[in-house]
Amino acid sequence: MGLQISERAQNMPSSPIRKLARYADAAKRNGIHVYHLNIGQPDIKTPQCALEAARNIGLDILSYSPSQGNKSLRTKLVSYYAEYGIDLSPDEIIITAGGSEAIQFAYMACLNPGDEIIVTDPSYANYMAFAISAGAVVKSVKTSIEDGFRLPSVEAFEEQITPKTKAILICNPNNPTGYLYSRKEMRQIRDLVKKHNLYLISDEVYREFIYTKQPYISACHLEGIEDNVILVDSVSKRYSECGIRIGALITKNKEVRSAVMKFCQARLSPPLFGQLVAEASLSTPEEYMAEVYEEYLLRRNFLLDELNKIEGVYSPTPMGAFYTMVKLPVEDAEKFCIWCLTDFSYEGQTVMMAPGSGFYTDPSEGRNEVRMAYVLNKEDLAKAMVVLRKALEEYPG
C-alpha cells in the first residue's frame, strides 16, 4: 500500500478562484487572451510612495523583524485606524503575512478541533479551507442572491448555535457578494456574540470601497464585546499590493494576543520587505485613494449594467468591495467556466470566472452562479462582457 496523505489534506477544498488556472494557462499557450474576472488582483497601479520604498530599501542586511511586526508600522497603523473611529495601541496590532495568515492564527488561537464557526453563505472560500486545516467545523446561515445577500434573521443564526459554537465570522464589506452590513445588522450580531459569549472574527479589508451612503460599521465600533472581537485586515487591495503579503490581526483581548504570538514566533516573523512597503503606503495621498474609489465605482456601475442586459443573467448591486455574485442561465457554472477556457474563444479572447459553488459550505448550492471581480479597466470589462455574451449564446449547456 502506498503512502497516504492526511485526511486534512484530502478534505481541503481547491480554491474556486485559482482551481481553473491550468485551463487558463493552456488557453494562453494557444494564443488566447484571457480576461481574468476570477481573482481580486487589481490592475490599478500601486502608490508611488510604496514603489519608491521598494526601490530604495536602504538596508545592508535583510534581517528578521519582531514576530509581531515592526513597531514603526504598527504605530503608523494606529493613526490610520483612528481615522475610522477605531481606537488602538500598537500592542493591539499584530502584523501577519496577509489577511490569510491573520485568519489562520485567529482560528488556531481560538478554536479547538471539532469547535464550530458560523459564516454567512456564500463566503470567501479560504474561510472554509483554513477551518479544515485547524480541525474546526464550518456551519452556515444562508443568504440569497434574490434579496441581495442581506443578513438572515437572528433566528437563522440561533438555529446554528450549539454548545460547540465558538465564533461567528463576517466579512464587511463582503467578499464575494459586495454586501455591506447595516448598523442594525451589526448590532444584531453584537447581541448574538454577547448572549452566547462567542468570538466575532471580522474581515474588513475592503472598508475603503463602499459605494453607498450607508456608514461603515466596524466590529471594533460595537460596544460591550471589545474582548470578543478579532479584526482581520490587509493592505493588499487597499493599495493594490497583493504581492507584499502584509495583513494584520487586531484585538483588545490580551489572552488571544498572547496565544496568537506563539504562532507568530513559530513562523519567526512577517515579511520584512512587505512591511517596509506597507509602512510607506500609509502615506499614500488622499488624491490617489479618491481616484481609485471613483475608478471602482465606475467599473461596478458599468459591469452591473452590462451583466443585467444579457438575457438570463442577473447580478444584484454590490454595495462595497469589488466583487459580485452573478446568476447565469446554465445548470453547472463550473462546467461553463471550464468550457470557456478549453472549448471557446471569440476573436481570440475568452473569460475566466470563479465558479460560485466554491463559495458555499454545501457545494451543491450556487451551481448556476459565478463570482466576478471588477478589477479590470472599463475597456477590458467591455470586451469581457462581449465575450461572455457570445459564450452564453454558443454554450451547448
Side-chain angles (χ1 to χ4, degrees), residues 74 77-78 80-81 86-96 102-103 105-106 200-202 204 207 216 218-220 226-234 238 247-254 256-257 260:
R74 291 182 287 117
L77 279 168
V78 167
Y80 164 79
Y81 290 113
I86 299 171
D87 181 31
L88 298 169
S89 72
D91 289 343
E92 291 165 341
I93 302 171
I94 295 172
I95 304 301
T96 56
I103 294 163
F105 284 176
L200 175 57
I201 303 170
S202 187
E204 300 179 10
R207 72 175 64 78
Y216 153 68
S218 170
C220 292
E226 289 81 2
D227 265 9
N228 302 64
V229 170
I230 300 169
L231 184 71
V232 170
D233 207 358
S234 167
R238 187 185 309 153
L249 183 152
I250 295 161
T251 182
K252 291 190 174 292
N253 188 315
K254 290 181 182 175
V256 170
R257 290 203 309 271
V260 168

mmCIF file of all heavy atoms in Angstrom, residues 74 77-78 80-81 86-96 102-103 105-106 200-202 204 207 216 218-220 226-234 238 247-254 256-257 260:
data_model
loop_
_atom_site.group_PDB
_atom_site.id
_atom_site.type_symbol
_atom_site.label_atom_id
_atom_site.label_comp_id
_atom_site.label_asym_id
_atom_site.label_seq_id
_atom_site.Cartn_x
_atom_site.Cartn_y
_atom_site.Cartn_z
ATOM 1 N N ARG A 74 3.280 49.342 13.102
ATOM 2 C CA ARG A 74 2.119 49.222 13.988
ATOM 3 C C ARG A 74 1.709 50.587 14.554
ATOM 4 O O ARG A 74 0.526 50.887 14.690
ATOM 5 C CB ARG A 74 2.409 48.219 15.104
ATOM 6 C CG ARG A 74 2.495 46.781 14.573
ATOM 7 C CD ARG A 74 2.728 45.743 15.629
ATOM 8 N NE ARG A 74 4.088 45.762 16.145
ATOM 9 C CZ ARG A 74 4.428 46.027 17.395
ATOM 10 N NH1 ARG A 74 3.489 46.305 18.304
ATOM 11 N NH2 ARG A 74 5.692 46.019 17.772
ATOM 12 N N LEU A 77 -0.081 52.454 11.860
ATOM 13 C CA LEU A 77 -1.421 51.902 11.667
ATOM 14 C C LEU A 77 -2.417 52.434 12.701
ATOM 15 O O LEU A 77 -3.607 52.583 12.405
ATOM 16 C CB LEU A 77 -1.389 50.370 11.724
ATOM 17 C CG LEU A 77 -0.949 49.672 10.440
ATOM 18 C CD1 LEU A 77 -0.684 48.191 10.700
ATOM 19 C CD2 LEU A 77 -1.982 49.834 9.322
ATOM 20 N N VAL A 78 -1.938 52.742 13.905
ATOM 21 C CA VAL A 78 -2.810 53.307 14.941
ATOM 22 C C VAL A 78 -3.475 54.580 14.418
ATOM 23 O O VAL A 78 -4.687 54.789 14.585
ATOM 24 C CB VAL A 78 -2.017 53.586 16.240
ATOM 25 C CG1 VAL A 78 -2.830 54.447 17.198
ATOM 26 C CG2 VAL A 78 -1.617 52.277 16.916
ATOM 27 N N TYR A 80 -3.897 55.385 11.244
ATOM 28 C CA TYR A 80 -4.796 55.014 10.151
ATOM 29 C C TYR A 80 -6.159 54.593 10.700
ATOM 30 O O TYR A 80 -7.210 55.063 10.242
ATOM 31 C CB TYR A 80 -4.176 53.886 9.318
ATOM 32 C CG TYR A 80 -5.176 53.185 8.424
ATOM 33 C CD1 TYR A 80 -5.585 53.761 7.224
ATOM 34 C CD2 TYR A 80 -5.734 51.965 8.792
ATOM 35 C CE1 TYR A 80 -6.522 53.133 6.413
ATOM 36 C CE2 TYR A 80 -6.672 51.335 7.982
ATOM 37 C CZ TYR A 80 -7.060 51.914 6.799
ATOM 38 O OH TYR A 80 -7.997 51.300 6.019
ATOM 39 N N TYR A 81 -6.173 53.705 11.705
ATOM 40 C CA TYR A 81 -7.450 53.221 12.240
ATOM 41 C C TYR A 81 -8.208 54.327 12.975
ATOM 42 O O TYR A 81 -9.444 54.337 12.975
ATOM 43 C CB TYR A 81 -7.226 52.011 13.148
ATOM 44 C CG TYR A 81 -6.801 50.787 12.385
ATOM 45 C CD1 TYR A 81 -5.528 50.236 12.542
ATOM 46 C CD2 TYR A 81 -7.653 50.190 11.465
ATOM 47 C CE1 TYR A 81 -5.127 49.132 11.818
ATOM 48 C CE2 TYR A 81 -7.267 49.089 10.727
ATOM 49 C CZ TYR A 81 -6.003 48.564 10.908
ATOM 50 O OH TYR A 81 -5.611 47.479 10.172
ATOM 51 N N ILE A 86 -11.563 53.924 15.171
ATOM 52 C CA ILE A 86 -11.121 52.700 15.852
ATOM 53 C C ILE A 86 -9.907 53.058 16.704
ATOM 54 O O ILE A 86 -8.858 53.430 16.184
ATOM 55 C CB ILE A 86 -10.778 51.589 14.840
ATOM 56 C CG1 ILE A 86 -12.012 51.230 13.996
ATOM 57 C CG2 ILE A 86 -10.248 50.347 15.554
ATOM 58 C CD1 ILE A 86 -11.725 50.301 12.834
ATOM 59 N N ASP A 87 -10.072 52.979 18.019
ATOM 60 C CA ASP A 87 -9.052 53.420 18.980
ATOM 61 C C ASP A 87 -8.177 52.235 19.385
ATOM 62 O O ASP A 87 -8.661 51.293 20.017
ATOM 63 C CB ASP A 87 -9.742 54.035 20.201
ATOM 64 C CG ASP A 87 -8.730 54.538 21.231
ATOM 65 O OD1 ASP A 87 -7.630 54.951 20.819
ATOM 66 O OD2 ASP A 87 -9.047 54.497 22.436
ATOM 67 N N LEU A 88 -6.904 52.274 19.006
ATOM 68 C CA LEU A 88 -5.987 51.164 19.265
ATOM 69 C C LEU A 88 -4.660 51.667 19.802
ATOM 70 O O LEU A 88 -4.323 52.846 19.666
ATOM 71 C CB LEU A 88 -5.719 50.385 17.963
ATOM 72 C CG LEU A 88 -6.909 49.701 17.282
ATOM 73 C CD1 LEU A 88 -6.507 49.218 15.893
ATOM 74 C CD2 LEU A 88 -7.431 48.540 18.112
ATOM 75 N N SER A 89 -3.895 50.735 20.373
ATOM 76 C CA SER A 89 -2.478 50.975 20.685
ATOM 77 C C SER A 89 -1.656 50.052 19.787
ATOM 78 O O SER A 89 -2.184 49.039 19.289
ATOM 79 C CB SER A 89 -2.196 50.663 22.155
ATOM 80 O OG SER A 89 -2.242 49.252 22.369
ATOM 81 N N PRO A 90 -0.362 50.337 19.576
ATOM 82 C CA PRO A 90 0.460 49.461 18.733
ATOM 83 C C PRO A 90 0.472 48.011 19.213
ATOM 84 O O PRO A 90 0.543 47.085 18.397
ATOM 85 C CB PRO A 90 1.850 50.086 18.821
ATOM 86 C CG PRO A 90 1.608 51.526 19.139
ATOM 87 C CD PRO A 90 0.387 51.533 20.016
ATOM 88 N N ASP A 91 0.388 47.800 20.537
ATOM 89 C CA ASP A 91 0.435 46.437 21.075
ATOM 90 C C ASP A 91 -0.804 45.614 20.721
ATOM 91 O O ASP A 91 -0.785 44.384 20.844
ATOM 92 C CB ASP A 91 0.587 46.468 22.597
ATOM 93 C CG ASP A 91 1.971 46.928 23.019
ATOM 94 O OD1 ASP A 91 2.885 46.911 22.162
ATOM 95 O OD2 ASP A 91 2.136 47.333 24.181
ATOM 96 N N GLU A 92 -1.888 46.287 20.304
ATOM 97 C CA GLU A 92 -3.113 45.572 19.953
ATOM 98 C C GLU A 92 -3.149 45.174 18.481
ATOM 99 O O GLU A 92 -4.125 44.599 18.010
ATOM 100 C CB GLU A 92 -4.329 46.443 20.307
ATOM 101 C CG GLU A 92 -4.494 46.589 21.816
ATOM 102 C CD GLU A 92 -5.436 47.707 22.230
ATOM 103 O OE1 GLU A 92 -5.704 48.621 21.417
ATOM 104 O OE2 GLU A 92 -5.890 47.670 23.398
ATOM 105 N N ILE A 93 -2.066 45.466 17.764
ATOM 106 C CA ILE A 93 -1.942 45.154 16.339
ATOM 107 C C ILE A 93 -0.811 44.150 16.147
ATOM 108 O O ILE A 93 0.314 44.389 16.589
ATOM 109 C CB ILE A 93 -1.655 46.424 15.512
ATOM 110 C CG1 ILE A 93 -2.767 47.462 15.711
ATOM 111 C CG2 ILE A 93 -1.491 46.080 14.028
ATOM 112 C CD1 ILE A 93 -2.453 48.819 15.109
ATOM 113 N N ILE A 94 -1.096 43.037 15.487
ATOM 114 C CA ILE A 94 -0.082 42.034 15.157
ATOM 115 C C ILE A 94 -0.016 41.931 13.633
ATOM 116 O O ILE A 94 -1.034 41.704 12.978
ATOM 117 C CB ILE A 94 -0.428 40.661 15.772
ATOM 118 C CG1 ILE A 94 -0.391 40.740 17.306
ATOM 119 C CG2 ILE A 94 0.524 39.577 15.265
ATOM 120 C CD1 ILE A 94 -0.912 39.492 18.008
ATOM 121 N N ILE A 95 1.172 42.126 13.084
ATOM 122 C CA ILE A 95 1.350 42.080 11.629
ATOM 123 C C ILE A 95 1.468 40.623 11.181
ATOM 124 O O ILE A 95 2.183 39.824 11.791
ATOM 125 C CB ILE A 95 2.594 42.879 11.188
ATOM 126 C CG1 ILE A 95 2.494 44.329 11.695
ATOM 127 C CG2 ILE A 95 2.744 42.846 9.664
ATOM 128 C CD1 ILE A 95 1.281 45.090 11.221
ATOM 129 N N THR A 96 0.758 40.301 10.102
ATOM 130 C CA THR A 96 0.729 38.925 9.598
ATOM 131 C C THR A 96 1.106 38.892 8.116
ATOM 132 O O THR A 96 1.159 39.937 7.460
ATOM 133 C CB THR A 96 -0.683 38.332 9.772
ATOM 134 O OG1 THR A 96 -1.638 39.185 9.117
ATOM 135 C CG2 THR A 96 -1.053 38.199 11.242
ATOM 136 N N ALA A 102 -3.707 36.023 9.203
ATOM 137 C CA ALA A 102 -4.456 36.537 10.353
ATOM 138 C C ALA A 102 -5.653 35.633 10.645
ATOM 139 O O ALA A 102 -5.939 35.325 11.809
ATOM 140 C CB ALA A 102 -4.910 37.967 10.083
ATOM 141 N N ILE A 103 -6.351 35.202 9.592
ATOM 142 C CA ILE A 103 -7.493 34.295 9.777
ATOM 143 C C ILE A 103 -7.013 32.958 10.347
ATOM 144 O O ILE A 103 -7.585 32.420 11.295
ATOM 145 C CB ILE A 103 -8.235 34.084 8.446
ATOM 146 C CG1 ILE A 103 -8.891 35.387 7.987
ATOM 147 C CG2 ILE A 103 -9.305 32.993 8.581
ATOM 148 C CD1 ILE A 103 -9.286 35.394 6.533
ATOM 149 N N PHE A 105 -4.326 32.300 12.110
ATOM 150 C CA PHE A 105 -3.882 32.445 13.504
ATOM 151 C C PHE A 105 -5.073 32.644 14.446
ATOM 152 O O PHE A 105 -5.065 32.152 15.575
ATOM 153 C CB PHE A 105 -2.898 33.608 13.637
ATOM 154 C CG PHE A 105 -1.511 33.299 13.112
ATOM 155 C CD1 PHE A 105 -0.524 34.283 13.094
ATOM 156 C CD2 PHE A 105 -1.172 32.038 12.647
ATOM 157 C CE1 PHE A 105 0.761 34.006 12.624
ATOM 158 C CE2 PHE A 105 0.097 31.758 12.173
ATOM 159 C CZ PHE A 105 1.065 32.744 12.167
ATOM 160 N N ALA A 106 -6.100 33.356 13.979
ATOM 161 C CA ALA A 106 -7.300 33.529 14.801
ATOM 162 C C ALA A 106 -7.954 32.176 15.065
ATOM 163 O O ALA A 106 -8.338 31.863 16.202
ATOM 164 C CB ALA A 106 -8.281 34.476 14.106
ATOM 165 N N LEU A 200 -16.069 37.149 17.686
ATOM 166 C CA LEU A 200 -16.515 37.727 16.424
ATOM 167 C C LEU A 200 -15.266 38.061 15.609
ATOM 168 O O LEU A 200 -14.521 38.983 15.936
ATOM 169 C CB LEU A 200 -17.342 38.993 16.645
ATOM 170 C CG LEU A 200 -17.766 39.746 15.375
ATOM 171 C CD1 LEU A 200 -18.550 38.838 14.429
ATOM 172 C CD2 LEU A 200 -18.566 40.994 15.725
ATOM 173 N N ILE A 201 -15.021 37.254 14.573
ATOM 174 C CA ILE A 201 -13.891 37.492 13.670
ATOM 175 C C ILE A 201 -14.433 38.289 12.497
ATOM 176 O O ILE A 201 -15.345 37.840 11.796
ATOM 177 C CB ILE A 201 -13.263 36.163 13.204
ATOM 178 C CG1 ILE A 201 -12.822 35.322 14.413
ATOM 179 C CG2 ILE A 201 -12.083 36.421 12.272
ATOM 180 C CD1 ILE A 201 -12.403 33.895 14.067
ATOM 181 N N SER A 202 -13.898 39.472 12.298
ATOM 182 C CA SER A 202 -14.441 40.378 11.285
ATOM 183 C C SER A 202 -13.357 40.767 10.286
ATOM 184 O O SER A 202 -12.372 41.417 10.636
ATOM 185 C CB SER A 202 -15.023 41.628 11.958
ATOM 186 O OG SER A 202 -15.689 42.433 11.020
ATOM 187 N N GLU A 204 -12.311 43.009 7.420
ATOM 188 C CA GLU A 204 -12.747 44.331 6.963
ATOM 189 C C GLU A 204 -11.755 44.952 5.979
ATOM 190 O O GLU A 204 -11.528 46.161 5.978
ATOM 191 C CB GLU A 204 -12.983 45.237 8.180
ATOM 192 C CG GLU A 204 -14.050 44.669 9.124
ATOM 193 C CD GLU A 204 -14.319 45.511 10.370
ATOM 194 O OE1 GLU A 204 -13.816 46.662 10.448
ATOM 195 O OE2 GLU A 204 -15.045 45.020 11.269
ATOM 196 N N ARG A 207 -12.802 48.190 3.495
ATOM 197 C CA ARG A 207 -13.508 49.347 4.052
ATOM 198 C C ARG A 207 -13.381 50.599 3.191
ATOM 199 O O ARG A 207 -14.206 51.500 3.258
ATOM 200 C CB ARG A 207 -13.019 49.641 5.488
ATOM 201 C CG ARG A 207 -11.640 50.214 5.598
ATOM 202 C CD ARG A 207 -11.294 50.587 7.044
ATOM 203 N NE ARG A 207 -11.247 49.435 7.919
ATOM 204 C CZ ARG A 207 -10.225 48.570 7.974
ATOM 205 N NH1 ARG A 207 -9.168 48.735 7.173
ATOM 206 N NH2 ARG A 207 -10.248 47.551 8.787
ATOM 207 N N TYR A 216 -19.950 52.728 7.236
ATOM 208 C CA TYR A 216 -19.154 51.533 7.551
ATOM 209 C C TYR A 216 -19.147 51.358 9.065
ATOM 210 O O TYR A 216 -18.691 52.237 9.802
ATOM 211 C CB TYR A 216 -17.738 51.734 7.003
ATOM 212 C CG TYR A 216 -16.632 50.980 7.711
ATOM 213 C CD1 TYR A 216 -16.543 49.591 7.642
ATOM 214 C CD2 TYR A 216 -15.647 51.665 8.426
ATOM 215 C CE1 TYR A 216 -15.515 48.911 8.265
ATOM 216 C CE2 TYR A 216 -14.613 50.995 9.055
ATOM 217 C CZ TYR A 216 -14.549 49.622 8.973
ATOM 218 O OH TYR A 216 -13.525 48.956 9.596
ATOM 219 N N SER A 218 -17.604 49.112 11.846
ATOM 220 C CA SER A 218 -16.594 48.099 12.161
ATOM 221 C C SER A 218 -17.044 47.284 13.369
ATOM 222 O O SER A 218 -17.769 47.786 14.242
ATOM 223 C CB SER A 218 -15.259 48.781 12.468
ATOM 224 O OG SER A 218 -14.332 47.845 12.990
ATOM 225 N N ALA A 219 -16.588 46.046 13.423
ATOM 226 C CA ALA A 219 -16.812 45.241 14.629
ATOM 227 C C ALA A 219 -16.190 45.930 15.844
ATOM 228 O O ALA A 219 -16.660 45.775 16.974
ATOM 229 C CB ALA A 219 -16.221 43.851 14.446
ATOM 230 N N CYS A 220 -15.137 46.722 15.598
ATOM 231 C CA CYS A 220 -14.471 47.450 16.692
ATOM 232 C C CYS A 220 -15.299 48.630 17.193
ATOM 233 O O CYS A 220 -14.961 49.238 18.206
ATOM 234 C CB CYS A 220 -13.095 47.936 16.245
ATOM 235 S SG CYS A 220 -11.906 46.611 15.979
ATOM 236 N N GLU A 226 -15.819 44.186 23.316
ATOM 237 C CA GLU A 226 -14.453 44.544 22.915
ATOM 238 C C GLU A 226 -13.502 43.350 22.981
ATOM 239 O O GLU A 226 -12.661 43.171 22.090
ATOM 240 C CB GLU A 226 -13.924 45.700 23.784
ATOM 241 C CG GLU A 226 -14.568 47.037 23.502
ATOM 242 C CD GLU A 226 -15.939 47.227 24.178
ATOM 243 O OE1 GLU A 226 -16.385 46.308 24.904
ATOM 244 O OE2 GLU A 226 -16.555 48.289 23.969
ATOM 245 N N ASP A 227 -13.645 42.525 24.003
ATOM 246 C CA ASP A 227 -12.740 41.374 24.166
ATOM 247 C C ASP A 227 -13.103 40.201 23.257
ATOM 248 O O ASP A 227 -12.322 39.262 23.125
ATOM 249 C CB ASP A 227 -12.724 40.910 25.628
ATOM 250 C CG ASP A 227 -11.565 41.528 26.407
ATOM 251 O OD1 ASP A 227 -10.890 42.429 25.853
ATOM 252 O OD2 ASP A 227 -11.323 41.114 27.555
ATOM 253 N N ASN A 228 -14.278 40.249 22.651
ATOM 254 C CA ASN A 228 -14.718 39.161 21.760
ATOM 255 C C ASN A 228 -14.249 39.359 20.325
ATOM 256 O O ASN A 228 -14.229 38.414 19.536
ATOM 257 C CB ASN A 228 -16.241 39.065 21.746
ATOM 258 C CG ASN A 228 -16.843 38.843 23.122
ATOM 259 O OD1 ASN A 228 -16.731 39.696 23.991
ATOM 260 N ND2 ASN A 228 -17.493 37.712 23.323
ATOM 261 N N VAL A 229 -13.890 40.602 19.976
ATOM 262 C CA VAL A 229 -13.653 40.961 18.575
ATOM 263 C C VAL A 229 -12.212 40.703 18.150
ATOM 264 O O VAL A 229 -11.262 41.080 18.856
ATOM 265 C CB VAL A 229 -14.016 42.443 18.326
ATOM 266 C CG1 VAL A 229 -13.543 42.907 16.944
ATOM 267 C CG2 VAL A 229 -15.522 42.644 18.459
ATOM 268 N N ILE A 230 -12.073 40.061 16.994
ATOM 269 C CA ILE A 230 -10.774 39.916 16.325
ATOM 270 C C ILE A 230 -10.947 40.494 14.921
ATOM 271 O O ILE A 230 -11.731 39.976 14.123
ATOM 272 C CB ILE A 230 -10.329 38.443 16.252
ATOM 273 C CG1 ILE A 230 -10.188 37.856 17.661
ATOM 274 C CG2 ILE A 230 -9.020 38.312 15.473
ATOM 275 C CD1 ILE A 230 -10.013 36.345 17.681
ATOM 276 N N LEU A 231 -10.243 41.560 14.643
ATOM 277 C CA LEU A 231 -10.326 42.224 13.346
ATOM 278 C C LEU A 231 -9.226 41.697 12.428
ATOM 279 O O LEU A 231 -8.068 41.592 12.834
ATOM 280 C CB LEU A 231 -10.168 43.730 13.526
ATOM 281 C CG LEU A 231 -10.333 44.596 12.269
ATOM 282 C CD1 LEU A 231 -11.778 44.631 11.828
ATOM 283 C CD2 LEU A 231 -9.845 46.014 12.532
ATOM 284 N N VAL A 232 -9.604 41.357 11.208
ATOM 285 C CA VAL A 232 -8.648 40.901 10.193
ATOM 286 C C VAL A 232 -8.522 41.998 9.147
ATOM 287 O O VAL A 232 -9.535 42.535 8.680
ATOM 288 C CB VAL A 232 -9.140 39.586 9.540
ATOM 289 C CG1 VAL A 232 -8.292 39.233 8.321
ATOM 290 C CG2 VAL A 232 -9.107 38.451 10.562
ATOM 291 N N ASP A 233 -7.289 42.331 8.787
ATOM 292 C CA ASP A 233 -7.085 43.400 7.812
ATOM 293 C C ASP A 233 -5.930 43.051 6.877
ATOM 294 O O ASP A 233 -5.184 42.089 7.112
ATOM 295 C CB ASP A 233 -6.816 44.725 8.521
ATOM 296 C CG ASP A 233 -7.235 45.929 7.678
ATOM 297 O OD1 ASP A 233 -7.703 45.744 6.533
ATOM 298 O OD2 ASP A 233 -7.091 47.065 8.169
ATOM 299 N N SER A 234 -5.789 43.852 5.813
ATOM 300 C CA SER A 234 -4.748 43.628 4.812
ATOM 301 C C SER A 234 -4.556 44.906 4.019
ATOM 302 O O SER A 234 -5.497 45.682 3.853
ATOM 303 C CB SER A 234 -5.178 42.490 3.875
ATOM 304 O OG SER A 234 -4.355 42.447 2.731
ATOM 305 N N ARG A 238 -6.293 47.538 -0.710
ATOM 306 C CA ARG A 238 -6.348 48.983 -0.451
ATOM 307 C C ARG A 238 -5.354 49.751 -1.317
ATOM 308 O O ARG A 238 -5.673 50.792 -1.872
ATOM 309 C CB ARG A 238 -6.046 49.221 1.035
ATOM 310 C CG ARG A 238 -6.216 50.635 1.517
ATOM 311 C CD ARG A 238 -5.764 50.731 2.974
ATOM 312 N NE ARG A 238 -6.403 49.693 3.775
ATOM 313 C CZ ARG A 238 -5.863 49.178 4.887
ATOM 314 N NH1 ARG A 238 -4.671 49.562 5.306
ATOM 315 N NH2 ARG A 238 -6.512 48.257 5.558
ATOM 316 N N GLY A 247 -0.699 41.751 6.248
ATOM 317 C CA GLY A 247 -2.017 41.908 6.847
ATOM 318 C C GLY A 247 -1.862 42.199 8.323
ATOM 319 O O GLY A 247 -0.748 42.468 8.812
ATOM 320 N N ALA A 248 -2.977 42.133 9.038
ATOM 321 C CA ALA A 248 -2.923 42.398 10.479
ATOM 322 C C ALA A 248 -4.041 41.653 11.191
ATOM 323 O O ALA A 248 -5.136 41.465 10.641
ATOM 324 C CB ALA A 248 -3.046 43.895 10.744
ATOM 325 N N LEU A 249 -3.739 41.208 12.393
ATOM 326 C CA LEU A 249 -4.729 40.678 13.327
ATOM 327 C C LEU A 249 -4.799 41.663 14.479
ATOM 328 O O LEU A 249 -3.767 41.984 15.085
ATOM 329 C CB LEU A 249 -4.333 39.284 13.807
ATOM 330 C CG LEU A 249 -5.316 38.562 14.734
ATOM 331 C CD1 LEU A 249 -5.173 37.046 14.587
ATOM 332 C CD2 LEU A 249 -5.142 38.936 16.215
ATOM 333 N N ILE A 250 -5.990 42.144 14.767
ATOM 334 C CA ILE A 250 -6.165 43.218 15.749
ATOM 335 C C ILE A 250 -7.173 42.776 16.791
ATOM 336 O O ILE A 250 -8.285 42.340 16.450
ATOM 337 C CB ILE A 250 -6.642 44.505 15.036
ATOM 338 C CG1 ILE A 250 -5.550 45.001 14.081
ATOM 339 C CG2 ILE A 250 -7.016 45.585 16.040
ATOM 340 C CD1 ILE A 250 -6.032 45.946 13.025
ATOM 341 N N THR A 251 -6.801 42.865 18.051
ATOM 342 C CA THR A 251 -7.747 42.537 19.118
ATOM 343 C C THR A 251 -7.311 43.204 20.423
ATOM 344 O O THR A 251 -6.110 43.389 20.672
ATOM 345 C CB THR A 251 -7.871 41.015 19.325
ATOM 346 O OG1 THR A 251 -8.846 40.758 20.346
ATOM 347 C CG2 THR A 251 -6.555 40.366 19.715
ATOM 348 N N LYS A 252 -8.301 43.548 21.218
ATOM 349 C CA LYS A 252 -8.024 44.101 22.554
ATOM 350 C C LYS A 252 -7.911 42.986 23.599
ATOM 351 O O LYS A 252 -7.567 43.249 24.745
ATOM 352 C CB LYS A 252 -9.127 45.089 22.945
ATOM 353 C CG LYS A 252 -9.097 46.368 22.097
ATOM 354 C CD LYS A 252 -10.017 47.440 22.617
ATOM 355 C CE LYS A 252 -9.835 48.738 21.835
ATOM 356 N NZ LYS A 252 -8.519 49.381 22.063
ATOM 357 N N ASN A 253 -8.185 41.756 23.177
ATOM 358 C CA ASN A 253 -8.151 40.617 24.082
ATOM 359 C C ASN A 253 -6.698 40.165 24.300
ATOM 360 O O ASN A 253 -6.081 39.574 23.410
ATOM 361 C CB ASN A 253 -8.995 39.484 23.499
ATOM 362 C CG ASN A 253 -9.183 38.323 24.459
ATOM 363 O OD1 ASN A 253 -8.228 37.893 25.097
ATOM 364 N ND2 ASN A 253 -10.403 37.814 24.538
ATOM 365 N N LYS A 254 -6.173 40.437 25.484
ATOM 366 C CA LYS A 254 -4.761 40.137 25.776
ATOM 367 C C LYS A 254 -4.470 38.646 25.687
ATOM 368 O O LYS A 254 -3.394 38.232 25.239
ATOM 369 C CB LYS A 254 -4.390 40.649 27.176
ATOM 370 C CG LYS A 254 -4.324 42.169 27.284
ATOM 371 C CD LYS A 254 -3.922 42.581 28.699
ATOM 372 C CE LYS A 254 -3.906 44.108 28.818
ATOM 373 N NZ LYS A 254 -3.624 44.519 30.222
ATOM 374 N N VAL A 256 -5.954 36.384 23.816
ATOM 375 C CA VAL A 256 -5.902 35.987 22.407
ATOM 376 C C VAL A 256 -4.584 36.447 21.792
ATOM 377 O O VAL A 256 -3.919 35.690 21.074
ATOM 378 C CB VAL A 256 -7.100 36.562 21.616
ATOM 379 C CG1 VAL A 256 -6.911 36.349 20.115
ATOM 380 C CG2 VAL A 256 -8.394 35.913 22.080
ATOM 381 N N ARG A 257 -4.175 37.694 22.084
ATOM 382 C CA ARG A 257 -2.907 38.187 21.530
ATOM 383 C C ARG A 257 -1.738 37.330 21.981
ATOM 384 O O ARG A 257 -0.841 37.006 21.209
ATOM 385 C CB ARG A 257 -2.668 39.643 21.947
ATOM 386 C CG ARG A 257 -3.591 40.635 21.296
ATOM 387 C CD ARG A 257 -3.010 42.039 21.282
ATOM 388 N NE ARG A 257 -2.524 42.516 22.557
ATOM 389 C CZ ARG A 257 -3.272 43.160 23.453
ATOM 390 N NH1 ARG A 257 -4.556 43.384 23.208
ATOM 391 N NH2 ARG A 257 -2.739 43.584 24.578
ATOM 392 N N VAL A 260 -1.886 34.092 19.986
ATOM 393 C CA VAL A 260 -1.504 34.329 18.588
ATOM 394 C C VAL A 260 0.003 34.523 18.477
ATOM 395 O O VAL A 260 0.638 34.057 17.521
ATOM 396 C CB VAL A 260 -2.266 35.550 18.017
ATOM 397 C CG1 VAL A 260 -1.667 35.990 16.678
ATOM 398 C CG2 VAL A 260 -3.743 35.222 17.848
#
